[in-house]
Amino acid sequence: PIFLEYTVSEQEEFCWYKLNNGNNNFVIGKTEITPKEGSNVINLFCNDTGPNIGSSQVTFDVDLEIPAQITLLVNSISQENSLQLSWNPSNATDFLNYNIYRSYNSFNNASALTPIATTATNSYKDTNLVSEGAYYYAVTAVDQASNENKKVISVSGTVADTIKPVVSILNPINTVYKTTPIAVQYTV
């Protein structure tokens, strides 16, 4: 809720306000108001015990609109301990940035998570991951008023196999052979 709070320099007889040039509303002390989404103007008027009327005006914005949920793609990168994330740009008119969340488990709410990164672009490369490790990601759009839809659909990605096999030759060994053919033995 948004509250109208005010002070008056002397004893007032009564006060009233108009929100967005609407009806007069009498007020005593702190009062909850219901502004509209977007720009708002509130005018406050107070009568003192004489015939004098003082006034004050404030213009303020209300942004309760949460940016739409982001649809995410996660791709492994051949021979890298990385995953590439990409998504379509946010359509929020007051877009600020994206928050990127990661977990080892699937999740549908990012409220308990801390972003691993923030970016203004619609892609991100998560590096230094574990070979063949599975990770879950979600991306949220944040607007200028810090509105963020933390109800998400996490998407999984698995890092490429980046560990080279260890190969050992068992035979032939480092010696001189007096016969052919020579049997080759190895382990992987």
Side-chain angles (χ1 to χ4, degrees):
I2 297 175
F3 291 94
L4 169 61
E5 296 182 72
Y6 62 93
T7 61
V8 181
S9 64
E10 57 184 270
Q11 179 66 39
E12 79 268 11
E13 188 172 353
F14 60 90
C15 296
W16 72 97
Y17 72 91
K18 281 186 169 189
L19 180 60
N20 300 318
N21 290 320
N23 295 329
N24 290 333
N25 298 286
F26 287 95
V27 61
I28 298 173
K30 183 177 175 181
T31 301
E32 185 174 345
I33 60 173
T34 307
K36 64 181 173 116
E37 179 83 12
S39 183
N40 291 271
V41 177
I42 190 163
N43 292 289
L44 177 66
F45 307 92
C46 290
N47 266 46
D48 64 11
T49 53
N52 304 309
I53 298 175
S55 67
S56 183
Q57 177 178 299
V58 173
T59 300
F60 62 97
D61 292 323
V62 173
D63 182 358
L64 302 174
E65 191 171 320
I66 298 172
Q69 198 172 62
I70 300 293
T71 301
L72 175 65
L73 296 172
V74 179
N75 293 302
S76 63
I77 303 170
S78 179
Q79 300 180 351
E80 286 190 30
N81 285 351
S82 304
L83 290 170
Q84 183 66 47
L85 285 62
S86 59
W87 55 90
N88 289 329
S90 171
N91 60 1
T93 57
D94 58 345
F95 169 78
L96 178 64
N97 63 266
Y98 299 102
N99 284 338
I100 300 163
Y101 297 92
R102 177 182 66 202
S103 177
Y104 296 109
N105 301 304
S106 178
F107 59 98
N108 60 11
N109 190 325
S111 296
L113 300 174
T114 301
I116 61 165
T118 298
T119 182
T121 64
N122 61 323
S123 66
Y124 176 76
K125 184 177 181 180
D126 195 9
T127 59
N128 299 318
L129 302 174
V130 175
S131 176
E132 298 184 279
Y135 300 88
Y136 291 84
Y137 294 89
V139 174
T140 60
V142 180
D143 69 14
Q144 298 287 336
S146 298
N147 292 320
E148 176 183 14
N149 185 355
K150 291 195 175 189
K151 291 183 180 178
V152 297
I153 299 171
S154 62
V155 176
S156 67
T158 302
V159 178
D161 178 0
T162 59
I163 300 173
K164 297 176 184 177
V166 176
V167 179
S168 302
I169 297 175
L170 303 174
N171 194 44
I173 59 173
N174 191 9
T175 189
V176 176
Y177 288 90
K178 296 183 182 190
T179 62
T180 57
I182 300 170
V184 177
Q185 295 178 346
Y186 61 92
T187 63
V188 178

